[in-house]
Amino acid sequence: ALRVDAMKYMIERLQFRAIGIETGYLSSRPLAAYLAGEHDSLDEAMASVIGAFTSVEDGEFYKWVKDWNQTH
């Protein structure tokens, strides 16, 4: 979708190094740990985030971000 494509573009081409989603600080910590490579379970990480950011496409994007973080 456009949102995910736009975020990937900003990360790859414009060198953005942070993304934001609408969720609480404490509830976002499992996802942040996953994206940083500190946590292996995407399902557990996504369970902590509000429903608007838990689609299959979002999950694929989170996997992509984790891989990006590990290689850059």
Side-chain angles (χ1 to χ4, degrees):
L2 182 60
R3 177 176 53 86
V4 169
D5 292 341
M7 288 191 290
K8 285 182 179 180
Y9 177 84
M10 290 184 287
I11 292 168
E12 291 178 316
R13 307 292 180 159
L14 303 178
Q15 300 179 353
F16 276 46
R17 296 295 176 247
I19 59 172
I21 59 172
E22 296 178 42
T23 194
Y25 172 74
L26 293 177
S27 62
S28 68
R29 293 187 58 118
L31 181 58
Y34 174 80
L35 297 176
E38 300 166 3
H39 189 345
D40 291 330
S41 174
L42 177 59
D43 291 335
E44 289 179 23
M46 288 181 65
S48 68
V49 179
I50 62 172
F53 299 98
T54 59
S55 70
V56 170
E57 184 176 29
D58 290 320
E60 291 170 359
F61 175 66
Y62 299 146
K63 288 178 191 175
W64 181 88
V65 171
K66 181 179 180 179
D67 292 341
W68 176 270
N69 286 340
Q70 291 176 344
T71 58
H72 292 87

